[in-house]
């Protein structure tokens, strides 16, 4: 096992990445519709196209990482991309200087550029998590610590985007506020990633690649034959669709159902705070029952919560905030299980197929995650659009009812699907440790 301070320093990189990521997840779609005035279908189409592109680039970066790395390996890739990533984040929130289709094209181009830069830096960081230690306990600790840092970033983004952005921009104009926040978060994120890259040392598999690295086809066949990877990622995709619909609907729900947009931002902040408290609890429980069993506990809580939401009408601001905080406590458990189990699928695949692939594992996982986010955004956009949603206007009762069932019904089905996939996963409690023992004989 590796010293905890070293693992914590590495894990704090997730704070930087989540300064970028949580802005995308919590605010960007709302920024498109309610700050830039784009129709919700157009905004959802831009977001979905960029998300799918993000996944493809993630897979390309992962594949390239297995076949070629600059001197210094993944660590140097992280450091080389830190500054371009920060600049690309700022461009994403730069209001277009043109109107009409040309303006939409500029918005899409900026989003695609940011997603490309994010993938080029994030995939090396994820692959480094499998190399800093091969011990499953260290990996679980890293996953939990990363989630704690990510949660802290969530709180900063949720509660700080508007006040920090307004202070930086010197105005309350929404588009300028978001741009000011992007500048502040990009500066902080860039500095953290440079520190993490400079301090990283590998203690797992050697950084050098084989003289003849696996072909792309061989790597794809390897992960396709890796039952642990396939079932985990099917469960993850279903979970991401469900949680993305819920997360992206928060600001809309508070603005149009409860008529208090600021309370929605407060809810996002409290959800992040709850994640910070919940992660250590999930970490302790995972040691007792294992990751796969933990998935069923967390998913079951989410399913129960959605059933209650579908049958009860939550008409008060504090009641909705409390409900979302409780749901987030369960959702964070699912994210923890995924990131704790994903590195372990590398050794499972190596044992099963005789081929060790790392970058492709993380790249493919990122591709599938982005596809799931795109699917969720499309479901939300189509659901809201077909309901008759119009930005910055009073919604009709029928529109609100249809929006509400989009928020509740689709996630419920996808949570159930995630449980069905996880039933087929072979990495039960203690399975990875036994696998390592067999590989060392």
């Amino acid at each position: 096992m590796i010293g905890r301070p070293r693992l914590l320093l590495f894990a704090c990189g997730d704070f930087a990445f989540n300064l970028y990521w949580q802005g995308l997840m919590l605010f960007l779609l709302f920024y498109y519709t309610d700050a830039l005035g784009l129709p919700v279908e157009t905004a959802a189409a831009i977001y979905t196209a960029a998300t799918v592109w993000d996944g493809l680039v993630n897979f390309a970066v992962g594949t390239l990482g297995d076949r070629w790395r600059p001197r210094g390996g993944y660590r140097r890739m992280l450091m080389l991309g830190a500054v371009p990533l920060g600049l690309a984040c700022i461009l994403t929130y730069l209001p277009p200087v043109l109107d009409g289709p040309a303006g939409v094209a500029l918005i899409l181009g900026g989003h695609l550029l940011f997603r490309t830069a994010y993938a080029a830096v994030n995939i090396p960081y994820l692959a480094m998590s499998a190399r800093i230690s091969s011990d499953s306990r260290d990996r679980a600790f890293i996953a939990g610590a990363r989630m704690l840092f990510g949660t802290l970033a969530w709180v900063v983004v949720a509660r700080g985007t508007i006040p920090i952005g307004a202070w930086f921009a010197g105005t309350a104009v929404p588009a300028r506020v978001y741009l000011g926040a992007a500048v502040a978060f990009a500066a902080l994120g860039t500095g953290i990633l440079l520190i993490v890259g400079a301090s990283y040392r590998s203690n797992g598999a050697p950084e050098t690649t084989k003289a003849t690295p696996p072909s792309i086809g061989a790597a794809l066949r390897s992960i396709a034959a890796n039952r642990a990877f396939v079932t985990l990622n099917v469960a993850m995709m279903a979970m991401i669709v469900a949680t993305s619909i819920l997360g992206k609907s928060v600001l809309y729900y508070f603005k149009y159902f409860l008529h208090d947009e600021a309370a929605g931002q407060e809810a996002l902040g409290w959800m992040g705070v709850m994640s910070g408290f919940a992660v250590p609890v999930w970490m302790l429980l995972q040691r007792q029952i294992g990751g796969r069993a933990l998935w069923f506990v967390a998913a079951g809580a989410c399913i129960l919560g959605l059933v209650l939401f579908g049958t009860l009408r939550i008409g008060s601001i504090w009641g909705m905030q409390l409900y979302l905080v409780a749901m987030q406590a369960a959702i964070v458990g699912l994210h923890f299980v995924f990131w704790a189990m994903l590195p372990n699928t590398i050794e499972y695949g190596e044992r099963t197929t005789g081929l060790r692939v790392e970058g492709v594992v993380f790249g493919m996982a990122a591709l599938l995650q982005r596809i799931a986010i795109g699917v969720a955004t499309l479901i939300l956009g189509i659901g809201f659009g077909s309901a008759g949603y119009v930005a910055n206007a009073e919604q009709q009762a029928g529109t609100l009812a249809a929006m509400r069932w989009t928020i509740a019904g689709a996630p419920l089905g996808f949570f159930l699907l995630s449980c069905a996939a996880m039933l087929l996963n072979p990495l039960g409690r203690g399975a990875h440790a036994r696998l390592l023992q067999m590989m060392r004989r």
Side-chain angles (χ1 to χ4, degrees), residues 75 138 158 202 336 361 419:
R75 167 179 169 271
D138 286 341
S202 174
F336 167 69
V361 163
C419 290

Side-chain angles (χ1 to χ4, degrees), residues 19 74 93 112 133 143 153 160 219 226 257 261 307 350 397 424:
L19 289 176
Y74 289 125
Y93 289 90
L112 293 177
S133 176
N226 185 341
F257 287 77
E261 185 178 342
V307 170
E350 183 179 7
L424 302 176

Side-chain angles (χ1 to χ4, degrees), residues 2-13:
I2 310 301
R4 291 299 189 248
R6 180 179 161 195
L7 297 180
L8 283 172
L9 179 58
F10 172 76
C12 78

Side-chain angles (χ1 to χ4, degrees), residues 231-232 235 292 295-296 337 341 417-425:
T231 53
L232 177 64
R292 188 178 64 175
W295 185 281
F296 299 120
V337 172
M341 291 180 65
L417 177 59
S418 78
C419 290
M422 191 58 78
L423 281 172
L424 302 176
N425 189 279

Side-chain angles (χ1 to χ4, degrees), residues 66-309:
D66 277 339
R67 299 182 63 81
W68 172 86
R69 298 176 205 136
R71 184 178 303 173
Y74 289 125
R75 167 179 169 271
R76 187 162 178 80
M77 292 173 70
L78 175 72
M79 297 181 70
L80 288 173
V83 173
L85 173 59
L87 295 175
C89 174
I90 296 171
L91 289 176
T92 303
Y93 289 90
L94 188 67
V97 295
L98 301 175
D99 297 324
V104 172
L106 287 175
I107 293 170
L108 175 60
H111 198 157
L112 293 177
L113 180 62
F114 172 71
R115 297 280 190 160
T116 303
Y118 187 91
V121 183
N122 186 242
I123 289 299
Y125 175 75
L126 294 177
M128 288 158 67
S129 69
R131 289 180 170 270
I132 195 170
S133 176
S134 60
D135 191 292
S136 61
R137 293 168 296 178
D138 286 341
R139 290 174 173 179
F141 178 82
I142 291 172
R146 283 180 52 213
M147 292 195 67
L148 286 173
F149 281 114
T151 293
L152 178 59
W154 176 331
V155 175
V156 171
V157 172
R159 300 293 294 138
T161 292
I162 302 304
I164 292 174
W167 183 78
F168 260 75
T171 179
V173 176
R176 295 294 176 182
V177 168
Y178 285 108
L179 178 61
V183 172
F185 295 153
L188 180 57
T190 298
I192 292 173
L193 291 180
L194 290 174
I195 293 172
V196 170
S199 62
Y200 171 79
R201 297 294 182 272
S202 174
N203 198 57
E207 281 281 356
T208 58
T209 57
K210 296 179 180 179
T212 305
S215 66
I216 295 176
L220 289 175
R221 288 191 294 272
S222 175
I223 61 174
N226 185 341
R227 184 160 64 98
F229 176 86
V230 172
T231 53
L232 177 64
N233 279 270
V234 171
M236 175 273 292
M237 291 184 72
M239 178 269 290
I240 290 295
V241 172
T243 58
S244 295
I245 291 173
L246 291 171
K248 292 181 185 303
S249 67
V250 169
L251 293 177
Y252 293 98
Y253 196 92
F254 276 90
K255 182 173 181 177
Y256 297 108
F257 287 77
L258 303 178
H259 308 291
D260 193 335
E261 185 178 342
Q265 297 168 15
E266 291 178 3
L268 292 173
W270 284 115
M271 289 164 68
V273 171
M274 173 52 70
S275 295
F277 285 108
V279 168
V281 176
W282 291 119
M283 291 173 69
L284 291 173
L285 189 55
Q286 186 263 354
R287 294 182 182 179
Q288 302 299 318
I289 66 174
R292 188 178 64 175
L294 194 66
W295 185 281
F296 299 120
V297 173
C302 291
I303 291 168
L304 176 61
L306 285 170
V307 170
L308 292 175
F309 179 80

